[in-house]
Amino acid sequence: MRPLVMLPIALAGDRLDRARFVLTALGAALGTVALLSSATVLAIDASRASNYTNDALNESGLRPGVAFGMLLMTIPVLTFVAQCSRMGAPARERRLAALRMAGATPRQVVQIAAVETSLAALLGVASGFGAYFAGRVLLDAPDTQGRRPLPTDVLPGVFSMAVIATLVPLFITGLAVLTMRRVVISPLGVVRNVSRRRPRAWPGVLLLVGIGACALVEPVFRYFADHPRSDDLPAIVMGVLIVTGVLSVSVGLVGGTGWITYEIGRLLHRWARRPAGLLAGRRLMADPWAGSRTFAALIVALLVGSAAAGLSELTVATVSAQQENARRLAGLLGESYEPTGTAFYECTYDIVGYAVAVSMMIAVAGLLVALAEGVLSRRRTLASLLAAGTPRGVLSRAMAWQAIAPVVPAVALAVIVGVLLPRFAIAGGRESANIEVQRCVPSPGDPADSCHDTVYDATHQVLLTAERMPVTVHIPWGQVGMLAGGAIAATVAMTVVGLAFLRTSTRMTELRTS
């Protein structure tokens, strides 16, 4: 098929196809901006040290972490794009089936869908580059000392920008084609659906494996501290444990949403006495994996946000205790010591919080798209129920149950696991500000053997020793509650907005659709 023939066919469609095109372009633009921002942080060199008001950008050891955090923001963007690619699926399938009947091969049908998505992705990449360069100009605000809040004076390399401009459209096009793998269109428009099995409890095993891997970090660290080595094996082992633990917990949470959805549906089907609850229960049991697709980005964002909140509390408490110990010991030695405070660490974790907030906003937008797509793809079924006498209010309440019921336990599990994860991975061995200072008279032979864990005061010829106690770290229930409450409130708001599509999609004329 010639490109000039394929292009008009790919761009043809109704308002849903146009909405899918625009939303896919928006997702590509957001992903491009996130990748360009990550590449910009990595492009900061040593000659620009202390050029920025944010110390996380001035420290060379922290810049890779900031860039990695921005890179993680592409996960909800990709989920958003995947949700957008499903909009108007029934109408697109009918159009592609008609093309098959006209003589198009399966390969040509896939090429048509790929051309539509790639055009939207290219438009989004161009818009993302435009937004990035416009933001560099608008956000470039150096202070009186020439320090900038953002690295607007640095550009990624030409090769990096070329890679981003090439990979984003290719990846989004491949993702769109991959979402069509479960549907095979025949010339008669017959759709073959792969049978779904009941979700198993294997995600719970992954959760336990991930938590167990993180809990092994401290014992492994202590073992290698007692048995030092000259190679990089300790760092490799602890890195593998942390990466394995975090990935296992993430996959377990996302995969566990399907099992939670099925169990919630089973409970509703068994105990509900109202038609809305019964309809929602059967729908949840019929497609439990829809929850994993819909809430995956939101669950991951909550896991990262709650883990960052717990790690921030742990870091601030530990640094404060260490600085207090140093201040008291310096006072005993007659030296001056000014604690640097914890503003640097708090600012770093604030950046993580902003990134999590943006990721949650994108995930909530994907949730709205998923709700709209669910209504539009089942509009004939909903119109049939309405024509058979089912009140519109019953359908609205059933959809609300279906959207909100799986979210509450999934959100609670995500934030609890996230806030406890740093305690398993980094536990014990902390210093407390409540120290007891004693004087120890050195022995005539070797004063270093007189006391242990001491600081020698050469002026008074005595040894100063401090007893270190474990630091007390409080769980940041306030931040965790705000994350969980915000996610649930956003889900409820998006559900209310999504119900607006129900009225326009349940007209009697929808009975003529397939």
Side-chain angles (χ1 to χ4, degrees):
M1 188 179 295
R2 297 177 180 178
L4 293 179
V5 177
M6 185 180 299
L7 186 61
I9 297 176
L11 295 178
D14 55 9
R15 63 182 186 275
L16 290 180
D17 296 293
R18 291 190 291 271
R20 181 177 63 249
F21 186 91
V22 173
L23 291 175
T24 302
L26 176 61
L30 293 175
T32 302
V33 172
L35 291 176
L36 287 173
S37 301
S38 178
T40 302
V41 173
L42 292 177
I44 301 175
D45 53 15
S47 63
R48 300 182 183 272
S50 303
N51 258 18
Y52 309 104
T53 57
N54 193 331
D55 291 333
L57 298 176
N58 296 327
E59 295 289 338
S60 59
L62 294 178
R63 284 197 292 268
V66 176
F68 182 71
M70 293 181 178
L71 190 62
L72 289 179
M73 291 178 61
T74 58
I75 295 178
V77 172
L78 294 176
T79 307
F80 177 77
V81 172
Q83 294 291 351
C84 294
S85 65
R86 298 171 61 87
M87 285 194 65
R92 180 172 57 178
E93 291 166 6
R94 292 195 302 270
R95 188 170 70 251
L96 296 179
L99 292 174
R100 288 289 309 277
M101 293 182 66
T105 64
R107 181 178 180 181
Q108 290 174 334
V109 168
V110 173
Q111 288 176 348
I112 291 173
V115 167
E116 175 195 359
T117 305
S118 61
L119 289 176
L122 288 173
L123 178 61
V125 168
S127 303
F129 270 89
Y132 171 76
F133 286 108
R136 284 174 53 86
V137 177
L138 296 176
L139 300 177
D140 189 26
D143 56 12
T144 56
Q145 300 178 353
R147 304 177 68 191
R148 293 174 168 82
L150 295 173
T152 52
D153 59 336
V154 180
L155 267 178
V158 177
F159 178 76
S160 300
M161 290 191 289
V163 169
I164 293 173
T166 303
L167 289 184
V168 170
L170 290 177
F171 194 85
I172 290 178
T173 302
L175 185 64
V177 173
L178 187 63
T179 55
M180 300 174 61
R181 71 189 186 279
R182 298 186 63 255
V183 179
V184 177
I185 307 294
S186 71
L188 298 178
V190 180
V191 180
R192 177 171 63 88
N193 291 321
V194 180
S195 60
R196 301 172 184 268
R197 294 188 302 174
R198 174 180 174 179
R200 304 298 181 183
W202 59 264
V205 178
L206 283 180
L207 278 176
L208 295 178
V209 170
I211 294 175
C214 291
L216 288 175
V217 172
E218 185 188 0
V220 169
F221 175 78
R222 291 182 176 177
Y223 172 81
F224 285 118
D226 296 335
H227 305 80
R229 299 174 60 97
S230 58
D231 52 14
D232 296 331
L233 181 63
I236 294 175
V237 171
M238 288 188 291
V240 169
L241 288 175
I242 293 175
V243 172
T244 302
V246 173
L247 289 180
S248 298
V249 168
S250 301
V251 175
L253 284 174
V254 174
T257 307
W259 181 83
I260 292 174
T261 301
Y262 183 86
E263 294 300 322
I264 293 293
R266 192 168 64 87
L267 291 176
L268 283 175
H269 181 258
R270 180 175 181 181
W271 298 105
R273 295 295 179 264
R274 301 278 182 160
L278 294 173
L279 287 174
R282 292 298 296 176
R283 180 61 187 169
L284 292 174
M285 293 175 65
D287 190 11
W289 295 110
S292 296
R293 296 193 304 266
T294 306
F295 307 122
L298 185 62
I299 294 301
V300 173
L302 287 172
L303 176 66
V304 174
S306 55
L311 189 59
S312 174
E313 192 77 17
L314 182 63
T315 302
V316 170
T318 302
V319 172
S320 299
Q322 291 174 347
Q323 292 182 358
E324 180 64 18
N325 282 336
R327 186 190 66 80
R328 294 189 180 186
L329 290 176
L332 291 172
L333 294 173
E335 301 173 353
S336 61
Y337 175 78
E338 291 294 334
T340 58
T342 58
F344 169 75
Y345 302 95
E346 294 174 357
C347 179
T348 302
Y349 286 109
D350 286 342
I351 296 176
V352 177
Y354 297 147
V356 170
V358 173
S359 300
M360 288 183 62
M361 292 174 60
I362 299 173
V364 168
L367 173 62
L368 177 60
V369 173
L371 290 173
E373 185 272 333
V375 173
L376 296 175
S377 63
R378 295 186 293 115
R379 58 184 183 272
R380 185 182 181 186
T381 302
L382 297 175
S384 301
L385 289 173
L386 192 63
T390 305
R392 197 184 302 272
V394 172
L395 296 179
S396 299
R397 289 190 293 273
M399 289 188 60
W401 272 107
Q402 180 184 341
I404 298 173
V407 171
V408 177
V411 166
L413 182 62
V415 296
I416 290 175
V417 172
V419 78
L420 294 179
L421 203 59
R423 291 174 173 262
F424 288 107
I426 311 172
R430 305 297 187 267
E431 297 180 20
S432 173
N434 300 320
I435 60 174
E436 297 178 2
V437 179
Q438 302 171 349
R439 290 183 179 271
C440 179
V441 179
S443 61
D446 187 2
D449 293 335
S450 302
C451 297
H452 299 285
D453 298 329
T454 60
V455 176
Y456 184 66
D457 184 359
T459 304
H460 300 90
Q461 296 296 312
V462 295
L463 292 173
L464 307 177
T465 177
E467 179 184 351
R468 287 167 170 78
M469 301 171 61
V471 67
T472 302
V473 182
H474 301 285
I475 297 178
W477 292 116
Q479 300 181 44
V480 172
M482 289 181 61
L483 282 173
I488 295 175
T491 302
V492 173
M494 291 301 102
T495 302
V496 173
V497 175
L499 291 178
F501 293 93
L502 181 64
R503 179 170 296 276
T504 60
S505 302
T506 52
R507 301 187 182 99
M508 294 300 125
T509 56
E510 299 295 339
L511 293 174
R512 295 197 298 266
T513 63
S514 58

